[in-house]
């Protein structure tokens, strides 16, 4: 079937908006399934042209070395040969959109991907594609200001999670944006390493190890993303000066948020919502801890999950803070976890005020002796288990709130002591500490606890009304 060529004015509106120079007139080249070699057609196209694939299967791999648009009509499928990347983008401002892309190789060292965006492809756009069954979905490999937007990415479902690739990988791509994608299966939803000034916003994640995994990525934004049913929602590691706002972790297994050597960031208006999870989700805990150690995550003892009707509550921890400081936690909602916040390894230097801790089995876990006031400017946090009075009506509890006592620390450091938890001796110690606060061994205290919770974050209300 012959190619169809039409003349269009300024073929790439996206490139025009990005300020890239294009010819005043450009061709639209329509390609039917079974036409001549697709790579040859792309090579003959000029900057600014649009190559449109009709519905049906088209053979790949292809490389885009000119500033053109490769797009698909509904039903257009670009199938790789099972080796290498299906689409490799090399040209600045090139666009890949509207295609179903499948059939990459499985060589992790060569970064086989559905769409691989090279360093030279600055301001490239990958949008509105369905990218399925590839080792990596989209790989932004050094492409400054590139955009991955509105894609549906389904990773590899079989085998060990650690042997699969990520939905979207970002390596050393300053200014890159990952927006409004739906990512499921594979290893991590978005994995960013050695980058800066990135924006990850409006994405949805499920059936993954980590929804978003940050390593050595600074001065960036993570906002309005939803993680549902993953092992960890948001793992922020070795990254500084981030804005983490409006995100939701809904029923993730181990941690809603994990901060490991992450400093100087704003964590505002996020929500972690726990739920009962099937007991079999916990059967892989040994493998999970092994994989965490392999990837540099801190591995610590966990609280024994609560069992109810064959299900267990999760996440284990709404927030886990490990050697992270100078962070500001404000207006967050932490609900239904085994532990609200666990912080350790020198993580006392964070501001935590204006948050809601709702129906967590243990609101705070801190095994230390320093006195830490979790209030700021006369405003603390809301604690659902705080039996406080507000006689003067100022919205604050009349007495300080202390989430932990001496026996909590004994039980954490010597779990065998749980057999004595309900003994008369333990009850006497708890009573004595309540009557004589000087006996308390340090720890977290909220001197201005809130009587009512702050507003639940908007996205959390929409996710789980």
């Amino acid at each position: 079937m012959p190619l169809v060529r039409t003349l269009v004015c300024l073929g790439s509106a996206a490139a025009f908006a990005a300020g890239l120079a294009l010819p005043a007139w450009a061709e639209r080249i329509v390609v039917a399934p079974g036409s001549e070699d697709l790579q040859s057609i792309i090579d003959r196209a000029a900057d600014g042209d649009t190559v449109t694939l009709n519905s049906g299967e088209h053979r790949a791999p292809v490389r885009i070395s000119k500033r053109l648009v490769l797009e698909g009509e509904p039903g257009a499928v670009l199938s790789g040969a099972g080796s290498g990347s299906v689409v490799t983008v090399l040209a600045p401002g090139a666009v890949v959109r509207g295609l179903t892309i499948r059939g990459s190789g499985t060589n992790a060292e060569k970064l086989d991907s559905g769409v691989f965006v090279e360093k030279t492809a600055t301001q490239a756009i990958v949008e509105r594609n369905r990218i399925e069954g590839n080792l990596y979905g989209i790989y932004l490999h050094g492409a400054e200001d590139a955009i991955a937007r509105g894609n549906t990415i389904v990773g590899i479902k079989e085998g060990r999670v650690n042997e699969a690739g990520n939905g979207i990988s970002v390596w050393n791509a300053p200014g890159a944006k990952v927006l409004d994608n739906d990512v499921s299966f594979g290893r991590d939803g978005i994995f960013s390493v050695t980058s800066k000034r990135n924006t990850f916003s409006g994405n949805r994640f499920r059936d993954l190890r980590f929804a978003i995994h940050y390593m050595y990525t600074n001065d960036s934004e993570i906002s309005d993303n939803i993680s549902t049913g993953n092992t960890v929602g948001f793992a922020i590691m070795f990254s500084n000066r981030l804005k983490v706002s409006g995100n939701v972790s809904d029923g993730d297994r181990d941690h809603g948020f994990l901060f490991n050597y992450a400093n100087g960031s704003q964590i505002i208006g996020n929500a972690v919502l726990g739920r009962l999870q099937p007991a079999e989700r916990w059967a892989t805990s040994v493998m999970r801890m092994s994989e965490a150690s392999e990837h540099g995550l801190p591995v610590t003892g966990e609280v024994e999950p609560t069992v109810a009707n064959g299900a267990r509550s999760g996440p284990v921890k709404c927030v886990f803070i490990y050697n992270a400081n100078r962070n500001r936690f404000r207006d967050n909602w932490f609900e239904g976890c085994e532990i609200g916040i666990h912080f350790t390894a020198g993580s006392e230097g964070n501001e935590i005020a204006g948050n809601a801790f709702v129906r967590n089995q243990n609101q705070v876990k801190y095994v230390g002796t320093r006195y830490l006031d979790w209030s700021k400017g006369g405003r603390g946090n809301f604690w659902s288990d705080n039996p406080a009075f507000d006689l003067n009506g100022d919205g604050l509890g009349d007495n300080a709130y202390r989430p932990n006592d001496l026996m909590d620390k004994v039980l954490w450091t010597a779990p065998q002591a749980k057999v004595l938890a309900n003994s008369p001796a333990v009850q006497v110690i708890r009573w004595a500490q309540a009557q004589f606060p000087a006996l308390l061994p340090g720890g977290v205290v909220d001197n201005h606890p809130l009587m009512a919770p702050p507003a639940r974050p908007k996205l959390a209300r929409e996710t789980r009304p």
Side-chain angles (χ1 to χ4, degrees):
M1 179 177 177
L3 299 178
V4 177
R5 298 175 179 268
T6 57
L7 202 61
V8 296
C9 179
L10 206 59
S12 177
F16 175 75
L20 300 172
L22 289 176
W25 295 94
E27 283 191 305
R28 181 171 181 263
I29 305 167
V30 181
V31 183
S35 297
E36 63 180 288
D37 179 56
L38 179 58
Q39 184 64 62
S40 298
I41 296 170
I42 291 173
D43 289 342
R44 291 200 302 270
D47 282 351
D49 284 355
T50 297
V51 178
T52 302
L53 306 187
N54 284 153
S55 178
E57 186 172 10
H58 300 258
R59 294 297 179 185
V62 296
R63 295 170 63 85
I64 302 174
S65 56
K66 297 178 182 178
R67 190 177 299 158
L68 54 77
V69 177
L70 177 63
E71 66 177 10
E73 295 179 345
V77 178
L78 196 55
S79 295
S83 64
S85 295
V86 184
V87 181
T88 301
V89 182
L90 301 99
V95 179
V96 179
R97 68 183 177 212
L99 293 160
T100 294
I101 299 172
R102 59 171 73 118
S104 80
T106 56
N107 191 321
E109 291 184 3
K110 293 184 178 179
L111 309 178
D112 291 347
S113 309
V115 181
F116 189 86
V117 183
E118 291 274 13
K119 180 179 181 179
T120 53
T122 58
Q123 298 181 320
I125 299 175
V126 183
E127 63 181 359
R128 302 197 306 274
N129 302 285
R130 179 175 178 84
I131 303 171
E132 56 186 26
N134 303 286
L135 181 62
Y136 292 89
I138 300 171
Y139 210 119
L140 305 181
H141 195 262
E144 188 169 355
D145 296 323
I147 298 175
R149 177 173 58 206
N151 302 284
T152 297
I153 302 173
V154 182
I156 296 174
K157 299 180 181 181
E158 299 80 20
R160 295 180 68 234
V161 169
N162 251 21
E163 294 174 352
N166 307 306
I168 302 172
S169 286
V170 177
W171 176 82
N172 192 22
K177 295 179 171 60
V178 181
L179 311 171
D180 303 320
N181 301 281
D182 187 286
V183 185
S184 59
F185 297 99
R187 187 167 57 195
D188 299 341
I190 303 174
F191 177 48
S192 177
V193 61
T194 317
S195 196
K196 58 187 176 182
R197 302 194 314 275
N198 299 123
T199 299
F200 299 167
S201 182
N203 303 284
R204 305 292 184 268
F205 307 96
R206 64 185 184 282
D207 297 305
L208 298 155
R209 185 185 67 165
F210 302 157
I212 293 181
H213 187 185
Y214 255 45
M215 294 281 289
Y216 306 104
T217 299
N218 302 319
D219 303 299
S220 296
E221 175 185 332
I222 305 170
S223 62
D224 302 325
N225 303 284
I226 298 178
S227 169
T228 304
N230 301 302
T231 301
V232 174
F234 304 87
I236 313 301
M237 305 172 65
F238 303 98
S239 301
N240 302 319
R241 301 178 302 278
L242 305 178
K243 180 181 179 182
V244 183
S245 64
N247 303 285
V248 175
S249 166
D250 182 6
D252 292 320
R253 192 186 73 185
D254 291 352
H255 310 305
F257 289 83
L258 182 153
F259 296 91
N260 180 23
Y261 290 85
N263 302 292
S265 298
Q266 305 289 318
I267 299 95
I268 299 174
N270 305 282
V272 180
L273 308 176
R275 65 170 68 199
L276 290 178
Q277 303 183 22
E280 58 265 23
R281 291 200 71 201
W282 300 87
T284 58
S285 61
V286 174
M287 180 180 295
R288 169 185 54 79
M289 293 176 68
S290 174
E291 292 182 354
S293 178
E294 178 183 337
H295 286 266
L297 282 168
V299 177
T300 62
E302 305 290 358
V303 172
E304 182 72 19
T306 301
V307 180
N309 298 323
R312 302 187 182 214
S313 58
V316 172
K317 301 169 185 177
C318 287
V319 183
F320 182 32
I321 307 173
Y322 186 91
N323 199 8
N325 286 287
R326 302 190 308 279
N327 300 297
R328 183 186 186 196
F329 291 79
R330 283 267 181 171
D331 301 323
N332 301 288
W333 187 285
F334 304 128
E335 178 179 358
C337 301
E338 292 288 326
I339 298 172
I341 289 185
H342 178 195
F343 64 105
T344 187
S347 299
E348 290 88 353
N350 296 292
E351 177 189 319
I352 302 177
N355 307 285
F357 295 84
V358 180
R359 292 189 295 276
N360 301 299
Q361 182 173 323
N362 291 285
Q363 302 283 34
V364 177
K365 180 177 180 179
Y366 170 57
V367 183
T369 58
R370 291 180 59 182
Y371 283 92
L372 304 174
D373 182 7
W374 278 11
S375 62
K376 182 73 173 181
R379 182 172 182 253
N381 304 274
F382 172 77
W383 310 89
S384 62
D385 59 344
N386 183 18
F389 292 95
D390 179 18
L391 297 181
N392 62 0
D394 63 355
L396 305 175
D398 294 333
N399 296 308
Y401 171 83
R402 291 179 174 85
N404 307 136
D405 61 19
L406 175 61
M407 290 312 304
D408 290 326
K409 298 182 180 181
V410 169
L411 295 176
W412 291 330
T413 55
Q416 301 88 340
K418 287 181 180 179
V419 298
L420 304 174
N422 294 319
S423 68
V426 170
Q427 300 306 313
V428 168
I429 292 173
R430 290 191 188 276
W431 176 85
Q433 289 181 124
Q435 302 304 312
F436 305 100
L439 295 175
L440 290 167
V444 172
V445 57
D446 186 340
N447 285 310
H448 305 282
L450 304 178
M451 293 298 295
R456 202 174 183 210
K458 179 177 182 293
L459 193 56
R461 297 195 304 269
E462 295 173 355
T463 302
R464 200 189 296 182

